[in-house]
mmCIF file of all heavy atoms in Angstrom:
data_model
loop_
_atom_site.group_PDB
_atom_site.id
_atom_site.type_symbol
_atom_site.label_atom_id
_atom_site.label_comp_id
_atom_site.label_asym_id
_atom_site.label_seq_id
_atom_site.Cartn_x
_atom_site.Cartn_y
_atom_site.Cartn_z
ATOM 1 N N GLY A 1 0.781 -1.228 -0.006
ATOM 2 C CA GLY A 1 0.002 -0.003 -0.012
ATOM 3 C C GLY A 1 0.806 1.261 -0.014
ATOM 4 O O GLY A 1 0.455 2.261 0.572
ATOM 5 N N VAL A 2 1.989 1.212 -0.688
ATOM 6 C CA VAL A 2 2.904 2.373 -0.754
ATOM 7 C C VAL A 2 2.724 3.048 -2.101
ATOM 8 O O VAL A 2 2.771 2.408 -3.124
ATOM 9 C CB VAL A 2 4.366 1.889 -0.553
ATOM 10 C CG1 VAL A 2 5.338 3.066 -0.722
ATOM 11 C CG2 VAL A 2 4.534 1.303 0.855
ATOM 12 N N GLU A 3 2.625 4.351 -2.138
ATOM 13 C CA GLU A 3 2.633 5.111 -3.364
ATOM 14 C C GLU A 3 4.057 5.135 -3.942
ATOM 15 O O GLU A 3 5.014 5.527 -3.247
ATOM 16 C CB GLU A 3 2.175 6.571 -3.117
ATOM 17 C CG GLU A 3 2.208 7.411 -4.347
ATOM 18 C CD GLU A 3 1.973 8.894 -4.078
ATOM 19 O OE1 GLU A 3 1.504 9.260 -2.982
ATOM 20 O OE2 GLU A 3 2.265 9.751 -4.984
ATOM 21 N N LEU A 4 4.187 4.709 -5.166
ATOM 22 C CA LEU A 4 5.501 4.736 -5.805
ATOM 23 C C LEU A 4 5.546 5.839 -6.797
ATOM 24 O O LEU A 4 4.750 5.963 -7.728
ATOM 25 C CB LEU A 4 5.773 3.409 -6.545
ATOM 26 C CG LEU A 4 7.129 3.309 -7.313
ATOM 27 C CD1 LEU A 4 8.245 3.425 -6.278
ATOM 28 C CD2 LEU A 4 7.191 2.023 -8.070
ATOM 29 N N ARG A 5 6.511 6.808 -6.621
ATOM 30 C CA ARG A 5 6.737 7.883 -7.546
ATOM 31 C C ARG A 5 8.020 7.617 -8.362
ATOM 32 O O ARG A 5 8.983 7.189 -7.805
ATOM 33 C CB ARG A 5 6.835 9.183 -6.821
ATOM 34 C CG ARG A 5 5.625 9.577 -6.017
ATOM 35 C CD ARG A 5 5.789 10.885 -5.309
ATOM 36 N NE ARG A 5 4.576 11.252 -4.485
ATOM 37 C CZ ARG A 5 4.446 12.374 -3.791
ATOM 38 N NH1 ARG A 5 5.441 13.278 -3.854
ATOM 39 N NH2 ARG A 5 3.380 12.615 -3.120
ATOM 40 N N ARG A 6 7.925 7.853 -9.656
ATOM 41 C CA ARG A 6 9.104 7.694 -10.507
ATOM 42 C C ARG A 6 9.550 9.103 -11.049
ATOM 43 O O ARG A 6 8.715 9.864 -11.474
ATOM 44 C CB ARG A 6 8.808 6.753 -11.676
ATOM 45 C CG ARG A 6 8.648 5.313 -11.200
ATOM 46 C CD ARG A 6 8.675 4.324 -12.395
ATOM 47 N NE ARG A 6 8.532 2.981 -11.934
ATOM 48 C CZ ARG A 6 9.523 2.161 -11.626
ATOM 49 N NH1 ARG A 6 10.775 2.556 -11.776
ATOM 50 N NH2 ARG A 6 9.317 0.911 -11.244
ATOM 51 N N THR A 7 10.839 9.276 -11.036
ATOM 52 C CA THR A 7 11.405 10.572 -11.474
ATOM 53 C C THR A 7 12.369 10.366 -12.609
ATOM 54 O O THR A 7 12.631 9.198 -13.033
ATOM 55 C CB THR A 7 12.196 11.202 -10.341
ATOM 56 O OG1 THR A 7 13.430 10.453 -10.113
ATOM 57 C CG2 THR A 7 11.416 11.270 -9.015
ATOM 58 N N LEU A 8 12.850 11.431 -13.185
ATOM 59 C CA LEU A 8 13.924 11.335 -14.158
ATOM 60 C C LEU A 8 15.187 10.750 -13.531
ATOM 61 O O LEU A 8 15.296 10.730 -12.256
ATOM 62 C CB LEU A 8 14.236 12.694 -14.787
ATOM 63 C CG LEU A 8 13.053 13.329 -15.604
ATOM 64 C CD1 LEU A 8 13.484 14.667 -16.173
ATOM 65 C CD2 LEU A 8 12.611 12.457 -16.721
ATOM 66 N N THR A 9 16.149 10.371 -14.325
ATOM 67 C CA THR A 9 17.387 9.766 -13.800
ATOM 68 C C THR A 9 18.206 10.801 -13.038
ATOM 69 O O THR A 9 18.426 11.925 -13.494
ATOM 70 C CB THR A 9 18.190 9.245 -15.010
ATOM 71 O OG1 THR A 9 17.395 8.341 -15.782
ATOM 72 C CG2 THR A 9 19.420 8.488 -14.458
ATOM 73 N N GLY A 10 18.672 10.404 -11.864
ATOM 74 C CA GLY A 10 19.455 11.304 -11.047
ATOM 75 C C GLY A 10 18.857 11.436 -9.663
ATOM 76 O O GLY A 10 17.647 11.732 -9.530
ATOM 77 N N PHE A 11 19.703 11.239 -8.656
ATOM 78 C CA PHE A 11 19.139 11.275 -7.266
ATOM 79 C C PHE A 11 18.610 12.628 -6.835
ATOM 80 O O PHE A 11 17.789 12.747 -5.922
ATOM 81 C CB PHE A 11 20.171 10.739 -6.267
ATOM 82 C CG PHE A 11 19.573 9.954 -5.160
ATOM 83 C CD1 PHE A 11 19.541 8.613 -5.182
ATOM 84 C CD2 PHE A 11 19.036 10.612 -4.043
ATOM 85 C CE1 PHE A 11 18.930 7.868 -4.145
ATOM 86 C CE2 PHE A 11 18.442 9.880 -3.000
ATOM 87 C CZ PHE A 11 18.419 8.517 -3.089
ATOM 88 N N LYS A 12 19.051 13.654 -7.563
ATOM 89 C CA LYS A 12 18.551 15.013 -7.241
ATOM 90 C C LYS A 12 17.048 15.104 -7.430
ATOM 91 O O LYS A 12 16.366 15.837 -6.724
ATOM 92 C CB LYS A 12 19.248 16.095 -8.086
ATOM 93 C CG LYS A 12 18.929 16.003 -9.577
ATOM 94 C CD LYS A 12 19.672 17.071 -10.315
ATOM 95 C CE LYS A 12 19.326 17.051 -11.840
ATOM 96 N NZ LYS A 12 20.028 18.108 -12.585
ATOM 97 N N PHE A 13 16.529 14.292 -8.366
ATOM 98 C CA PHE A 13 15.080 14.324 -8.565
ATOM 99 C C PHE A 13 14.286 13.563 -7.465
ATOM 100 O O PHE A 13 13.156 13.900 -7.129
ATOM 101 C CB PHE A 13 14.710 13.706 -9.943
ATOM 102 C CG PHE A 13 15.232 14.531 -11.102
ATOM 103 C CD1 PHE A 13 16.335 14.074 -11.855
ATOM 104 C CD2 PHE A 13 14.678 15.760 -11.406
ATOM 105 C CE1 PHE A 13 16.810 14.839 -12.949
ATOM 106 C CE2 PHE A 13 15.165 16.492 -12.437
ATOM 107 C CZ PHE A 13 16.179 16.096 -13.216
ATOM 108 N N ILE A 14 14.983 12.527 -6.854
ATOM 109 C CA ILE A 14 14.422 11.885 -5.722
ATOM 110 C C ILE A 14 14.400 12.867 -4.576
ATOM 111 O O ILE A 14 13.428 12.968 -3.803
ATOM 112 C CB ILE A 14 15.164 10.571 -5.370
ATOM 113 C CG1 ILE A 14 15.043 9.596 -6.548
ATOM 114 C CG2 ILE A 14 14.677 9.951 -4.058
ATOM 115 C CD1 ILE A 14 15.867 8.300 -6.337
ATOM 116 N N GLY A 15 15.550 13.592 -4.373
ATOM 117 C CA GLY A 15 15.616 14.602 -3.338
ATOM 118 C C GLY A 15 14.536 15.656 -3.509
ATOM 119 O O GLY A 15 13.993 16.201 -2.553
ATOM 120 N N GLU A 16 14.270 15.958 -4.759
ATOM 121 C CA GLU A 16 13.178 17.004 -5.051
ATOM 122 C C GLU A 16 11.824 16.511 -4.536
ATOM 123 O O GLU A 16 11.061 17.328 -3.979
ATOM 124 C CB GLU A 16 13.113 17.244 -6.544
ATOM 125 C CG GLU A 16 12.104 18.267 -6.980
ATOM 126 C CD GLU A 16 12.059 18.471 -8.494
ATOM 127 O OE1 GLU A 16 11.920 17.467 -9.221
ATOM 128 O OE2 GLU A 16 12.262 19.626 -8.931
ATOM 129 N N GLN A 17 11.568 15.207 -4.686
ATOM 130 C CA GLN A 17 10.286 14.719 -4.186
ATOM 131 C C GLN A 17 10.246 14.797 -2.643
ATOM 132 O O GLN A 17 9.168 15.092 -2.054
ATOM 133 C CB GLN A 17 10.111 13.271 -4.599
ATOM 134 C CG GLN A 17 9.823 13.109 -6.077
ATOM 135 C CD GLN A 17 8.555 13.783 -6.519
ATOM 136 O OE1 GLN A 17 7.516 13.665 -5.873
ATOM 137 N NE2 GLN A 17 8.621 14.530 -7.629
ATOM 138 N N ILE A 18 11.373 14.539 -1.966
ATOM 139 C CA ILE A 18 11.415 14.711 -0.542
ATOM 140 C C ILE A 18 11.106 16.180 -0.159
ATOM 141 O O ILE A 18 10.360 16.433 0.777
ATOM 142 C CB ILE A 18 12.783 14.287 0.016
ATOM 143 C CG1 ILE A 18 13.031 12.822 -0.292
ATOM 144 C CG2 ILE A 18 12.861 14.544 1.536
ATOM 145 C CD1 ILE A 18 14.452 12.382 0.056
ATOM 146 N N GLY A 19 11.715 17.077 -0.863
ATOM 147 C CA GLY A 19 11.492 18.525 -0.677
ATOM 148 C C GLY A 19 10.024 18.885 -0.821
ATOM 149 O O GLY A 19 9.478 19.687 -0.044
ATOM 150 N N LEU A 20 9.375 18.332 -1.856
ATOM 151 C CA LEU A 20 7.953 18.630 -2.025
ATOM 152 C C LEU A 20 7.092 18.094 -0.880
ATOM 153 O O LEU A 20 6.187 18.776 -0.420
ATOM 154 C CB LEU A 20 7.502 17.985 -3.323
ATOM 155 C CG LEU A 20 8.070 18.606 -4.614
ATOM 156 C CD1 LEU A 20 7.644 17.764 -5.852
ATOM 157 C CD2 LEU A 20 7.629 20.048 -4.810
ATOM 158 N N LEU A 21 7.396 16.925 -0.378
ATOM 159 C CA LEU A 21 6.683 16.371 0.765
ATOM 160 C C LEU A 21 6.936 17.243 1.966
ATOM 161 O O LEU A 21 6.032 17.545 2.758
ATOM 162 C CB LEU A 21 7.085 14.932 1.022
ATOM 163 C CG LEU A 21 6.622 13.891 -0.011
ATOM 164 C CD1 LEU A 21 7.315 12.558 0.210
ATOM 165 C CD2 LEU A 21 5.108 13.702 0.108
ATOM 166 N N GLU A 22 8.161 17.663 2.160
ATOM 167 C CA GLU A 22 8.516 18.524 3.342
ATOM 168 C C GLU A 22 7.772 19.803 3.231
ATOM 169 O O GLU A 22 7.250 20.324 4.273
ATOM 170 C CB GLU A 22 10.048 18.742 3.365
ATOM 171 C CG GLU A 22 10.516 19.508 4.600
ATOM 172 C CD GLU A 22 11.998 19.537 4.677
ATOM 173 O OE1 GLU A 22 12.651 20.077 3.680
ATOM 174 O OE2 GLU A 22 12.573 19.125 5.673
ATOM 175 N N ALA A 23 7.725 20.435 2.062
ATOM 176 C CA ALA A 23 7.030 21.731 1.891
ATOM 177 C C ALA A 23 5.541 21.630 2.225
ATOM 178 O O ALA A 23 4.942 22.581 2.660
ATOM 179 C CB ALA A 23 7.223 22.195 0.480
ATOM 180 N N ALA A 24 5.010 20.396 1.999
ATOM 181 C CA ALA A 24 3.585 20.169 2.295
ATOM 182 C C ALA A 24 3.352 19.721 3.787
ATOM 183 O O ALA A 24 2.258 19.385 4.138
ATOM 184 C CB ALA A 24 3.043 19.111 1.307
ATOM 185 N N GLY A 25 4.461 19.684 4.546
ATOM 186 C CA GLY A 25 4.362 19.209 5.904
ATOM 187 C C GLY A 25 4.155 17.753 6.021
ATOM 188 O O GLY A 25 3.637 17.296 7.031
ATOM 189 N N GLN A 26 4.638 16.986 4.993
ATOM 190 C CA GLN A 26 4.424 15.539 4.986
ATOM 191 C C GLN A 26 5.699 14.713 4.772
ATOM 192 O O GLN A 26 5.688 13.621 4.236
ATOM 193 C CB GLN A 26 3.428 15.237 3.813
ATOM 194 C CG GLN A 26 2.117 15.902 3.936
ATOM 195 C CD GLN A 26 1.250 15.708 2.681
ATOM 196 O OE1 GLN A 26 1.725 15.240 1.635
ATOM 197 N NE2 GLN A 26 -0.010 16.069 2.775
ATOM 198 N N LYS A 27 6.817 15.257 5.247
ATOM 199 C CA LYS A 27 8.084 14.561 5.003
ATOM 200 C C LYS A 27 8.153 13.159 5.612
ATOM 201 O O LYS A 27 8.872 12.301 5.114
ATOM 202 C CB LYS A 27 9.303 15.405 5.427
ATOM 203 C CG LYS A 27 9.479 15.485 6.930
ATOM 204 C CD LYS A 27 10.728 16.231 7.267
ATOM 205 C CE LYS A 27 10.988 16.279 8.742
ATOM 206 N NZ LYS A 27 12.283 16.995 9.116
ATOM 207 N N ASP A 28 7.335 12.938 6.670
ATOM 208 C CA ASP A 28 7.331 11.599 7.302
ATOM 209 C C ASP A 28 6.721 10.515 6.370
ATOM 210 O O ASP A 28 6.895 9.354 6.622
ATOM 211 C CB ASP A 28 6.598 11.656 8.616
ATOM 212 C CG ASP A 28 7.356 12.390 9.694
ATOM 213 O OD1 ASP A 28 8.605 12.612 9.523
ATOM 214 O OD2 ASP A 28 6.754 12.798 10.700
ATOM 215 N N ARG A 29 5.993 10.951 5.347
ATOM 216 C CA ARG A 29 5.406 9.985 4.390
ATOM 217 C C ARG A 29 6.519 9.260 3.571
ATOM 218 O O ARG A 29 6.345 8.140 3.135
ATOM 219 C CB ARG A 29 4.465 10.659 3.453
ATOM 220 C CG ARG A 29 3.167 11.161 4.037
ATOM 221 C CD ARG A 29 2.309 11.893 3.001
ATOM 222 N NE ARG A 29 1.972 10.967 1.902
ATOM 223 C CZ ARG A 29 1.565 11.372 0.712
ATOM 224 N NH1 ARG A 29 1.440 12.636 0.430
ATOM 225 N NH2 ARG A 29 1.268 10.480 -0.252
ATOM 226 N N TYR A 30 7.647 9.903 3.427
ATOM 227 C CA TYR A 30 8.759 9.336 2.657
ATOM 228 C C TYR A 30 9.440 8.235 3.452
ATOM 229 O O TYR A 30 9.903 8.434 4.537
ATOM 230 C CB TYR A 30 9.817 10.437 2.301
ATOM 231 C CG TYR A 30 11.033 9.901 1.622
ATOM 232 C CD1 TYR A 30 11.080 9.670 0.267
ATOM 233 C CD2 TYR A 30 12.195 9.684 2.340
ATOM 234 C CE1 TYR A 30 12.239 9.197 -0.349
ATOM 235 C CE2 TYR A 30 13.326 9.190 1.728
ATOM 236 C CZ TYR A 30 13.340 8.944 0.450
ATOM 237 O OH TYR A 30 14.473 8.457 -0.166
ATOM 238 N N ILE A 31 9.471 7.096 2.799
ATOM 239 C CA ILE A 31 10.108 5.897 3.525
ATOM 240 C C ILE A 31 11.391 5.397 2.852
ATOM 241 O O ILE A 31 12.252 4.813 3.537
ATOM 242 C CB ILE A 31 9.114 4.734 3.717
ATOM 243 C CG1 ILE A 31 8.614 4.221 2.351
ATOM 244 C CG2 ILE A 31 7.938 5.155 4.623
ATOM 245 C CD1 ILE A 31 7.860 2.857 2.489
ATOM 246 N N PHE A 32 11.511 5.568 1.582
ATOM 247 C CA PHE A 32 12.714 5.054 0.850
ATOM 248 C C PHE A 32 12.780 5.560 -0.552
ATOM 249 O O PHE A 32 11.775 5.751 -1.213
ATOM 250 C CB PHE A 32 12.668 3.489 0.819
ATOM 251 C CG PHE A 32 13.920 2.836 0.375
ATOM 252 C CD1 PHE A 32 15.137 3.134 1.018
ATOM 253 C CD2 PHE A 32 13.939 1.945 -0.668
ATOM 254 C CE1 PHE A 32 16.340 2.535 0.621
ATOM 255 C CE2 PHE A 32 15.089 1.343 -1.079
ATOM 256 C CZ PHE A 32 16.329 1.650 -0.442
ATOM 257 N N GLY A 33 13.994 5.754 -1.013
ATOM 258 C CA GLY A 33 14.242 6.129 -2.391
ATOM 259 C C GLY A 33 15.506 5.375 -2.892
ATOM 260 O O GLY A 33 16.412 5.176 -2.134
#
């Protein structure tokens, strides 16, 4: 039951998704990249 997000190649894009969750006050939703 985990939402899987796919990004372009490069870990900076995974980091960007963490930033988006953090900006929304939801960084704890991130479990692994």
Side-chain angles (χ1 to χ4, degrees):
V2 174
E3 177 190 346
L4 179 63
R5 299 183 181 181
R6 289 191 181 270
T7 71
L8 297 180
T9 307
F11 215 95
K12 66 180 181 180
F13 293 110
I14 297 176
E16 181 180 53
Q17 291 297 315
I18 299 173
L20 292 172
L21 288 169
E22 186 174 56
Q26 302 173 347
K27 72 175 183 179
D28 290 343
R29 290 178 60 198
Y30 172 83
I31 61 169
F32 190 54

